Amino acid sequence: MSRSAQYTVGELEISVVSDGEFRLDGGAVFGIIPRLMWEPVVGRENIDDQYRIPMGLNCMVVRHGSEVLVVDTGMGTKLTGVHRERTFPGDYGHLLDELAALGIERGDVTAVANTHLHADHCGWNTMHDASGKVVPTFPNARYFVQRGEYESATHTNERTRGTYFAENVEPVKAAGLLELVEGETQIMRGAAFLPTPGHTPDHASILLQSNGETGIYTGDLVHHAVQAERPVWIAAFDVLPLVTLESKKAFVERAVRENALLICVHNAFPGVGRLTELDGKRTFVAE
Ligand SMILES: [Zn+2]
């Protein structure tokens, strides 16, 4: 089964490319929302005997001319031991194969952008080379990260250290490929950061704009599309949930107003759709 899907935003060619899937505790994904309410949304048949639910790892490729931008890089192949078995159980590490199927080799990628540096969003930033050394996966790319997010990743606390791994970032910095940016920085023509703090203090979605069309790669502003329909549904992972609420309200207004193509990283593949008003209710309509 192919794990990439094609879209356009104006002149930009968009591919949603899956690194695979993992499973997370459903209660954690839905925060204060009782299981009574989220279970019918997820579907009982999708919940395993450990109350875990499937989480997609939908990365985005944006192509325009010779530019190739990869947004978020999934879980990668470096996790082992307790992280692989307990924290992030799943079947993943497929991003490079999917890129190759699209005719994209590692050396073709000109830019990488991470919405944030949690382990499920930057795993393929780096990889083991033949000698076992961890090196940047995309040797010709500039890697764009919000400066504040880099600070969070490198100054962890008891709560955050379980998901920030130096091996996903430091080899990139050592190779001189890391671009620390602030706010609404442009990454390539038509693609820029859209700060959406809350999940982390400097979390940023990716805004696509071309020929009057809009696309938004959400990152972890939402962990499931229903959290766009219902802004108060916020994951327990968010370090600043009330900030998430404000970010999400602004995002939802814009998504509806501009009929934006939304790419939701953790929805079932491909996680793409638009938020539309149906009978006064905001509804995520998949594409
Ligand atoms: Zn995530």
Side-chain angles (χ1 to χ4, degrees), residues 22 55 116 118 120-121 199 219-220 223 265-266:
F22 70 116
M55 304 289 285
H116 62 303
H118 285 173
D120 53 323
H121 295 261
H199 179 61
D220 280 351
H223 291 75
V265 53
H266 291 313

Side-chain angles (χ1 to χ4, degrees), residues 199-265:
H199 179 61
T200 67
D202 294 277
H203 180 276
S205 305
I206 303 297
L207 177 66
L208 306 174
Q209 290 180 301
S210 177
N211 283 356
E213 294 181 23
T214 300
I216 301 174
Y217 182 88
T218 61
D220 280 351
L221 178 62
V222 297
H223 291 75
H224 187 289
V226 71
Q227 293 170 333
E229 297 174 344
R230 307 173 195 180
V232 82
W233 287 36
I234 293 168
F237 307 113
D238 289 22
V239 296
L240 301 169
L242 296 182
V243 176
T244 298
L245 181 62
E246 295 308 312
S247 291
K248 222 195 292 186
K249 286 196 284 192
F251 154 76
V252 164
E253 290 299 324
R254 181 174 200 157
V256 172
R257 189 175 65 240
E258 300 184 18
N259 192 31
L261 188 76
L262 305 181
I263 299 106
C264 300
V265 53

